[in-house]
Amino acid sequence: MTHILIVEDEEKLADLQAEYLQSAGFNTTRLHNGLTVLPWLKAHTADLILLDLMLPGGDGLEICRELRQISTVPIIIITARIEEIDRLLGLELGADDYICKPFSPREMVARVKTVLRRLQTTAQDTLPGGGKIKLDPNSLRVFAEGHEIALTAVEFQLLQAMLLQPGRIFSRTKLMDLIYRDQRVVSDRTIDSHIKKLRKKLADLLPDQELIHSVYGAGYRYEPQPQSPKSS
């Protein structure tokens, strides 16, 4: 059953969220302090996080930033801050959606279902021959033709970004912006190294397919096709 992590310091509100989500068929866990989020996620898994911004023990935006360094789990920010900059900052840090307080619990459930459905339907692609490649953002695994492999968080984000827009050429700079949202300075070779490792894992998963292609002088693109003739 899909597991939703509720991070909300107002316990009555967290209880209300849990009640509506459980009625909709979700499992829930409630945390009330920002300091407990990362330790909990290191020991457990969640399919989506409802993350309040104003938390004791840690700001929700900083928690979102830290989470995106280790996980691609969907995050919906819940905030009483209605200023546009806060909403934009949350989304730029990797949040998938936001809900402004006060909100309808039914709206919250609908937003959760929408985000989960969007990820489930977009993080997959049809391969030549009718097979499917699917990504699980919770476990950082990719599945295809009855097999699976585990990826690092960076490898998963690289593959997910390109899979969602097949055929698009991503420059190294664009990929760096997508992966390193904390604006750290990394070289082109860092992206090349991650792509090389990702390609090797995908080749182990699908030896008869080449999914990520180099485009000379431009970057990389995702486009499944048979390896023969093999492109560079």
Side-chain angles (χ1 to χ4, degrees):
M1 189 178 293
T2 303
H3 196 142
I4 309 299
L5 174 62
I6 300 168
V7 186
E8 169 62 63
D9 63 313
E10 297 181 44
E11 295 191 20
K12 289 184 178 179
L13 178 56
D15 291 344
L16 181 64
Q17 290 174 276
E19 179 182 344
Y20 272 80
L21 288 166
Q22 289 164 9
S23 295
F26 298 106
N27 281 337
T28 63
T29 295
R30 282 155 280 183
L31 299 179
H32 307 298
N33 189 294
L35 293 175
T36 63
V37 178
L38 292 177
W40 188 93
L41 286 169
K42 289 179 180 179
H44 307 85
T45 58
D47 296 294
L48 183 142
I49 301 173
L50 288 167
L51 179 63
D52 185 41
L53 286 190
M54 302 295 289
L55 293 167
D59 179 74
L61 290 177
E62 184 59 33
I63 293 172
C64 186
R65 184 196 302 273
E66 293 177 5
L67 279 173
R68 277 296 170 258
Q69 304 307 311
I70 62 172
S71 174
T72 59
V73 61
I75 299 171
I76 297 179
I77 283 177
I78 295 180
T79 178
R81 305 176 188 175
I82 60 173
E83 295 86 354
E84 182 180 13
I85 188 170
D86 281 329
R87 296 194 298 243
L88 292 176
L89 182 57
L91 294 174
E92 287 176 359
L93 287 175
D96 297 270
D97 200 356
Y98 65 87
I99 302 173
C100 290
K101 294 181 178 179
F103 58 86
S104 160
R106 291 186 177 86
E107 176 195 359
M108 175 204 64
V109 172
R111 293 287 190 95
V112 167
K113 290 181 176 179
T114 297
V115 170
L116 290 172
R117 183 167 58 248
R118 183 171 69 235
L119 291 174
Q120 290 168 355
T121 56
T122 58
Q124 61 179 318
D125 195 19
T126 301
L127 300 168
K132 291 276 190 181
I133 181 170
K134 299 181 181 181
L135 305 186
D136 180 356
N138 188 47
S139 66
L140 299 181
R141 290 183 179 272
V142 55
F143 302 83
E145 299 180 359
H147 302 283
E148 64 182 76
I149 54 171
L151 304 178
T152 66
V154 169
E155 292 166 353
F156 188 94
Q157 291 177 69
L158 285 170
L159 178 58
Q160 185 178 52
M162 290 187 284
L163 187 149
L164 293 177
Q165 299 185 65
R168 174 184 173 178
I169 298 173
F170 287 84
S171 68
R172 291 171 176 82
T173 299
K174 180 61 177 178
L175 290 173
M176 283 189 283
D177 290 341
L178 289 171
I179 302 308
Y180 298 108
R181 294 185 174 92
D182 59 355
Q183 305 301 311
R184 74 181 70 176
V185 177
V186 296
S187 69
D188 289 353
R189 290 183 179 180
T190 301
I191 292 295
D192 291 340
S193 176
H194 288 307
I195 291 288
K196 181 179 180 180
K197 294 175 182 177
L198 176 59
R199 277 174 155 172
K200 184 178 185 304
K201 291 183 178 181
L202 292 175
D204 292 338
L205 182 67
L206 293 165
D208 61 337
Q209 296 285 331
E210 184 173 9
L211 301 179
I212 298 177
H213 305 263
S214 299
V215 181
Y216 183 75
Y220 298 98
R221 76 175 189 273
Y222 171 91
E223 189 172 357
Q225 64 184 48
Q227 278 193 322
S228 181
K230 185 173 182 179
S231 61
S232 62

